[in-house]
Amino acid sequence: MLLAQALIPIAAVVAVAAAFVCALAARDPAAPPPPPRRAALLELSLVLLAAGLVATVAVAAFIGGYAGALDRAAWAGGSFIAGCAAVAAAGLLAAALDADAGRPAAVGPLSGGALALGAVAGLFGLASSLAGEGPWAGASLIAPAAGGAGLAAAVAAFGPGAAPARTSLGPLAGAVVAAAALAGLLAAGELSARSGDAAWSAFPLVVAACVLAAAAIASIPGAVLAASGRAAAPLVSAWLAAIVSALAVVGAAIVLLPAGAGWAAGAVGAGLGAGLLLAHGGILPGAAADRLPGRLLPWLIGALALAIAWTLGRELAGEGFAPGAAGLYGLTLAAVAAPGPVLVRLAIFPFAPPVTAAAAAVDVETWARPGEAGIALAVTAAAAPARPEPANALPAAGIAAAAALALAVALSPHARHELLRAAETEPVRAAAVVQDLGLLPPGDPDRYAFANELEQRRLTLEELRQQVADDADFGPADVRLLLAADTAARDAFVDARLASGSLIPGEAERITAARRPLPPLLPLPGVSAGAAVGVLAGFAVAAAAGAARRPASPLRPLIAALGLLGLLLAVGPVLRFFGPGEADSLQFVAAFALVAGPGAALMAREDAGTEAPALGLAAAGLALALAAGLLA
């Protein structure tokens, strides 16, 4: 764990330092100096501040109101504003320093990722230690940070005073890193709780640090190559970043993970492969890129890489984890790793010269005279038009889609953790949620029977906790976990604690005497009113992202981004109190995130900036922030 605690701040410092070195070391003297942006920066700062404060108060009031606890409101508001501030700072740095078209756009992507990673890691460390309930509770407490990061990215891309498209990559990079890191923390919480080893939760942050540090290292030779006129500099940097990341992650997995290091490193490798493919996106020859297969190929291969990561992650089930939870862990590791090659490509590409295509002109001359005939060929070089510049929208949208998808799927372990909290304090309400999710037969008798069983189970485990008399061996988080552990998870928990000496056989027998209340992961949204409304609302947001790509007024998309928060905060309670079931609001936010997150990101075309991906991440992040309060 000392390695993880040291590597994350070192990687953040290296990334920021490399960004400034690249930005200040080389400049194209032929490029005109950037225009003054002092007024625009002030306007953007005020908009970011206002949006962050309003949204923070709304999220804190919502979650605090549902939980009925001031500390939950403080954690929600603090994590939301921290994520928003980190990405907002990255956006302002990028707008101030990356607007110079004669320099690489390195400050935005690299510093954005570094600031977001530092904010998430700091929040996670505070929540895990101060909450006193372990990594899973810490990850759930700071879940709204993804919403703050996504909202800041959307405001920076859409808001008044927004910078040119190349400088809006910084906030998007920060939101991607924050979303992917939080998805990894949420997915790892159950693994850490079952094994009693916090290394599983630290590993996604270590992967993000390794990837970010490798991108920073690769950006320096990339900037040198670009300054010397090498058109292949962005892709060379992406490949170098992927190779350095792979080596660093393999070493970290061997040192940190108690077992299954190979499978976890393989899932990270699949994510790096997806990132490389997305970094190559948009550079196909013009004729191939204009055809539908050419446009879909990077997405299809990237999706295949994520599927491979899920499959490799499922192999961790051999270490005692449920296959679904282990597969989700592999998917989130891939989502954390994928941004690395793309970020360095986006940082170096604006400074690289365009690729020129060679062409030749052939003149043929024939003649015939009495007694003589001949032919002459003359081959001369001719300047051909440069190949169209690869667009940044495709790779940027790709990593945004991967992060939003991972974040949306991570709603399941987050909701499961919140349900465990309800099972401990409100067993009847927890039974109603389980019943609404289709995991119990309908009717009051089954609901109250399940609630009574939960209460009896809790009392038995509390008696065992008092008998052990050491929360480090068997504490409140273990009681909560075992309230809803399936057979495989319960047996893995018992075996791990027996092997470590935390429990003795007689104590273990009291744990194994229980039936399985819940599946390893809550089901994804099914057919319900909430899921239907969520799907429709998600498609509406995706359509609004496409319609507002080039708005007539800068205030319209900003109002739409803030209106998204109002939609989520309004529809969730309505569905909860007036819908057909207790779990309908959870179905709504899950369906909304699954559609609006990747859906809005996929709408980005080659001629678009990062507006649609930013709104997609904002949708997924705010949906997770809402889910943080629905079952609190």
Side-chain angles (χ1 to χ4, degrees), residues 340-358:
V342 175
L343 292 186
V344 70
R345 187 259 195 201
L346 296 178
I348 302 302
F349 167 73
F351 197 48
V355 179
T356 57

PDB file of all heavy atoms in Angstrom, residues 340-358:
ATOM      1  N   GLY A 340      -4.892   6.579 -21.562  1.00  0.00           N
ATOM      2  CA  GLY A 340      -3.478   6.920 -21.634  1.00  0.00           C
ATOM      3  C   GLY A 340      -2.969   7.227 -23.034  1.00  0.00           C
ATOM      4  O   GLY A 340      -2.500   8.350 -23.310  1.00  0.00           O
ATOM      5  N   PRO A 341      -3.014   6.256 -23.971  1.00  0.00           N
ATOM      6  CA  PRO A 341      -2.533   6.550 -25.329  1.00  0.00           C
ATOM      7  C   PRO A 341      -3.302   7.679 -26.009  1.00  0.00           C
ATOM      8  O   PRO A 341      -2.724   8.441 -26.796  1.00  0.00           O
ATOM      9  CB  PRO A 341      -2.727   5.214 -26.063  1.00  0.00           C
ATOM     10  CG  PRO A 341      -2.762   4.182 -24.989  1.00  0.00           C
ATOM     11  CD  PRO A 341      -3.410   4.843 -23.824  1.00  0.00           C
ATOM     12  N   VAL A 342      -4.586   7.797 -25.723  1.00  0.00           N
ATOM     13  CA  VAL A 342      -5.385   8.843 -26.372  1.00  0.00           C
ATOM     14  C   VAL A 342      -4.975  10.224 -25.864  1.00  0.00           C
ATOM     15  O   VAL A 342      -4.879  11.182 -26.644  1.00  0.00           O
ATOM     16  CB  VAL A 342      -6.885   8.588 -26.134  1.00  0.00           C
ATOM     17  CG1 VAL A 342      -7.723   9.735 -26.689  1.00  0.00           C
ATOM     18  CG2 VAL A 342      -7.303   7.278 -26.776  1.00  0.00           C
ATOM     19  N   LEU A 343      -4.721  10.352 -24.571  1.00  0.00           N
ATOM     20  CA  LEU A 343      -4.372  11.660 -24.022  1.00  0.00           C
ATOM     21  C   LEU A 343      -3.075  12.183 -24.622  1.00  0.00           C
ATOM     22  O   LEU A 343      -2.969  13.369 -24.978  1.00  0.00           O
ATOM     23  CB  LEU A 343      -4.247  11.580 -22.499  1.00  0.00           C
ATOM     24  CG  LEU A 343      -5.534  11.326 -21.713  1.00  0.00           C
ATOM     25  CD1 LEU A 343      -5.275  11.413 -20.231  1.00  0.00           C
ATOM     26  CD2 LEU A 343      -6.625  12.305 -22.113  1.00  0.00           C
ATOM     27  N   VAL A 344      -2.065  11.320 -24.751  1.00  0.00           N
ATOM     28  CA  VAL A 344      -0.798  11.805 -25.308  1.00  0.00           C
ATOM     29  C   VAL A 344      -0.950  12.098 -26.796  1.00  0.00           C
ATOM     30  O   VAL A 344      -0.340  13.019 -27.330  1.00  0.00           O
ATOM     31  CB  VAL A 344       0.335  10.794 -25.030  1.00  0.00           C
ATOM     32  CG1 VAL A 344       0.170   9.517 -25.829  1.00  0.00           C
ATOM     33  CG2 VAL A 344       1.685  11.412 -25.313  1.00  0.00           C
ATOM     34  N   ARG A 345      -1.798  11.349 -27.477  1.00  0.00           N
ATOM     35  CA  ARG A 345      -2.054  11.645 -28.895  1.00  0.00           C
ATOM     36  C   ARG A 345      -2.746  12.994 -29.047  1.00  0.00           C
ATOM     37  O   ARG A 345      -2.388  13.814 -29.904  1.00  0.00           O
ATOM     38  CB  ARG A 345      -2.893  10.527 -29.504  1.00  0.00           C
ATOM     39  CG  ARG A 345      -3.086  10.633 -31.016  1.00  0.00           C
ATOM     40  CD  ARG A 345      -4.447  11.196 -31.300  1.00  0.00           C
ATOM     41  NE  ARG A 345      -4.824  10.990 -32.695  1.00  0.00           N
ATOM     42  CZ  ARG A 345      -5.736  11.692 -33.320  1.00  0.00           C
ATOM     43  NH1 ARG A 345      -6.353  12.666 -32.687  1.00  0.00           N
ATOM     44  NH2 ARG A 345      -6.050  11.454 -34.572  1.00  0.00           N
ATOM     45  N   LEU A 346      -3.731  13.276 -28.197  1.00  0.00           N
ATOM     46  CA  LEU A 346      -4.428  14.553 -28.262  1.00  0.00           C
ATOM     47  C   LEU A 346      -3.509  15.707 -27.871  1.00  0.00           C
ATOM     48  O   LEU A 346      -3.659  16.827 -28.360  1.00  0.00           O
ATOM     49  CB  LEU A 346      -5.648  14.538 -27.335  1.00  0.00           C
ATOM     50  CG  LEU A 346      -6.752  13.540 -27.679  1.00  0.00           C
ATOM     51  CD1 LEU A 346      -7.864  13.602 -26.645  1.00  0.00           C
ATOM     52  CD2 LEU A 346      -7.316  13.779 -29.063  1.00  0.00           C
ATOM     53  N   ALA A 347      -2.546  15.427 -26.974  1.00  0.00           N
ATOM     54  CA  ALA A 347      -1.647  16.482 -26.527  1.00  0.00           C
ATOM     55  C   ALA A 347      -0.653  16.879 -27.615  1.00  0.00           C
ATOM     56  O   ALA A 347      -0.304  18.050 -27.753  1.00  0.00           O
ATOM     57  CB  ALA A 347      -0.895  16.022 -25.277  1.00  0.00           C
ATOM     58  N   ILE A 348      -0.179  15.912 -28.393  1.00  0.00           N
ATOM     59  CA  ILE A 348       0.878  16.173 -29.367  1.00  0.00           C
ATOM     60  C   ILE A 348       0.329  16.490 -30.746  1.00  0.00           C
ATOM     61  O   ILE A 348       0.951  17.227 -31.522  1.00  0.00           O
ATOM     62  CB  ILE A 348       1.840  14.967 -29.443  1.00  0.00           C
ATOM     63  CG1 ILE A 348       2.439  14.688 -28.063  1.00  0.00           C
ATOM     64  CG2 ILE A 348       2.964  15.203 -30.445  1.00  0.00           C
ATOM     65  CD1 ILE A 348       3.191  15.858 -27.474  1.00  0.00           C
ATOM     66  N   PHE A 349      -0.856  15.984 -31.064  1.00  0.00           N
ATOM     67  CA  PHE A 349      -1.337  16.108 -32.444  1.00  0.00           C
ATOM     68  C   PHE A 349      -1.411  17.542 -32.969  1.00  0.00           C
ATOM     69  O   PHE A 349      -1.025  17.802 -34.109  1.00  0.00           O
ATOM     70  CB  PHE A 349      -2.709  15.439 -32.574  1.00  0.00           C
ATOM     71  CG  PHE A 349      -3.405  15.798 -33.855  1.00  0.00           C
ATOM     72  CD1 PHE A 349      -2.963  15.264 -35.052  1.00  0.00           C
ATOM     73  CD2 PHE A 349      -4.450  16.699 -33.875  1.00  0.00           C
ATOM     74  CE1 PHE A 349      -3.577  15.605 -36.233  1.00  0.00           C
ATOM     75  CE2 PHE A 349      -5.059  17.045 -35.054  1.00  0.00           C
ATOM     76  CZ  PHE A 349      -4.619  16.499 -36.236  1.00  0.00           C
ATOM     77  N   PRO A 350      -1.908  18.521 -32.202  1.00  0.00           N
ATOM     78  CA  PRO A 350      -2.016  19.868 -32.783  1.00  0.00           C
ATOM     79  C   PRO A 350      -0.690  20.460 -33.230  1.00  0.00           C
ATOM     80  O   PRO A 350      -0.668  21.391 -34.029  1.00  0.00           O
ATOM     81  CB  PRO A 350      -2.630  20.693 -31.636  1.00  0.00           C
ATOM     82  CG  PRO A 350      -3.303  19.702 -30.767  1.00  0.00           C
ATOM     83  CD  PRO A 350      -2.452  18.484 -30.844  1.00  0.00           C
ATOM     84  N   PHE A 351       0.431  19.950 -32.708  1.00  0.00           N
ATOM     85  CA  PHE A 351       1.740  20.504 -33.029  1.00  0.00           C
ATOM     86  C   PHE A 351       2.421  19.773 -34.177  1.00  0.00           C
ATOM     87  O   PHE A 351       3.445  20.222 -34.676  1.00  0.00           O
ATOM     88  CB  PHE A 351       2.624  20.446 -31.783  1.00  0.00           C
ATOM     89  CG  PHE A 351       3.831  21.330 -31.848  1.00  0.00           C
ATOM     90  CD1 PHE A 351       3.725  22.656 -32.246  1.00  0.00           C
ATOM     91  CD2 PHE A 351       5.070  20.851 -31.509  1.00  0.00           C
ATOM     92  CE1 PHE A 351       4.832  23.472 -32.300  1.00  0.00           C
ATOM     93  CE2 PHE A 351       6.194  21.664 -31.548  1.00  0.00           C
ATOM     94  CZ  PHE A 351       6.062  22.988 -31.952  1.00  0.00           C
ATOM     95  N   ALA A 352       1.891  18.611 -34.576  1.00  0.00           N
ATOM     96  CA  ALA A 352       2.524  17.813 -35.627  1.00  0.00           C
ATOM     97  C   ALA A 352       2.126  18.347 -36.998  1.00  0.00           C
ATOM     98  O   ALA A 352       0.983  18.770 -37.202  1.00  0.00           O
ATOM     99  CB  ALA A 352       2.121  16.349 -35.495  1.00  0.00           C
ATOM    100  N   PRO A 353       3.039  18.321 -37.970  1.00  0.00           N
ATOM    101  CA  PRO A 353       2.690  18.785 -39.316  1.00  0.00           C
ATOM    102  C   PRO A 353       1.754  17.812 -39.996  1.00  0.00           C
ATOM    103  O   PRO A 353       1.722  16.624 -39.660  1.00  0.00           O
ATOM    104  CB  PRO A 353       4.055  18.837 -40.028  1.00  0.00           C
ATOM    105  CG  PRO A 353       4.885  17.831 -39.309  1.00  0.00           C
ATOM    106  CD  PRO A 353       4.436  17.863 -37.877  1.00  0.00           C
ATOM    107  N   PRO A 354       0.958  18.272 -40.952  1.00  0.00           N
ATOM    108  CA  PRO A 354       0.067  17.361 -41.672  1.00  0.00           C
ATOM    109  C   PRO A 354       0.856  16.384 -42.531  1.00  0.00           C
ATOM    110  O   PRO A 354       1.986  16.658 -42.931  1.00  0.00           O
ATOM    111  CB  PRO A 354      -0.782  18.296 -42.539  1.00  0.00           C
ATOM    112  CG  PRO A 354       0.069  19.513 -42.711  1.00  0.00           C
ATOM    113  CD  PRO A 354       0.848  19.659 -41.436  1.00  0.00           C
ATOM    114  N   VAL A 355       0.261  15.234 -42.770  1.00  0.00           N
ATOM    115  CA  VAL A 355       0.894  14.208 -43.600  1.00  0.00           C
ATOM    116  C   VAL A 355       0.597  14.521 -45.055  1.00  0.00           C
ATOM    117  O   VAL A 355      -0.571  14.606 -45.466  1.00  0.00           O
ATOM    118  CB  VAL A 355       0.359  12.809 -43.237  1.00  0.00           C
ATOM    119  CG1 VAL A 355       0.991  11.757 -44.120  1.00  0.00           C
ATOM    120  CG2 VAL A 355       0.629  12.523 -41.778  1.00  0.00           C
ATOM    121  N   THR A 356       1.640  14.705 -45.837  1.00  0.00           N
ATOM    122  CA  THR A 356       1.463  14.987 -47.261  1.00  0.00           C
ATOM    123  C   THR A 356       1.520  13.685 -48.037  1.00  0.00           C
ATOM    124  O   THR A 356       2.246  12.750 -47.683  1.00  0.00           O
ATOM    125  CB  THR A 356       2.550  15.929 -47.759  1.00  0.00           C
ATOM    126  OG1 THR A 356       3.824  15.352 -47.483  1.00  0.00           O
ATOM    127  CG2 THR A 356       2.449  17.274 -47.050  1.00  0.00           C
ATOM    128  N   ALA A 357       0.755  13.634 -49.080  1.00  0.00           N
ATOM    129  CA  ALA A 357       0.717  12.446 -49.928  1.00  0.00           C
ATOM    130  C   ALA A 357       1.553  12.692 -51.175  1.00  0.00           C
ATOM    131  O   ALA A 357       1.471  13.744 -51.798  1.00  0.00           O
ATOM    132  CB  ALA A 357      -0.732  12.120 -50.324  1.00  0.00           C
ATOM    133  N   ALA A 358       2.373  11.732 -51.497  1.00  0.00           N
ATOM    134  CA  ALA A 358       3.218  11.858 -52.680  1.00  0.00           C
ATOM    135  C   ALA A 358       2.395  11.598 -53.932  1.00  0.00           C
ATOM    136  O   ALA A 358       1.479  10.786 -53.946  1.00  0.00           O
ATOM    137  CB  ALA A 358       4.380  10.879 -52.596  1.00  0.00           C
TER     138      ALA A 358
END
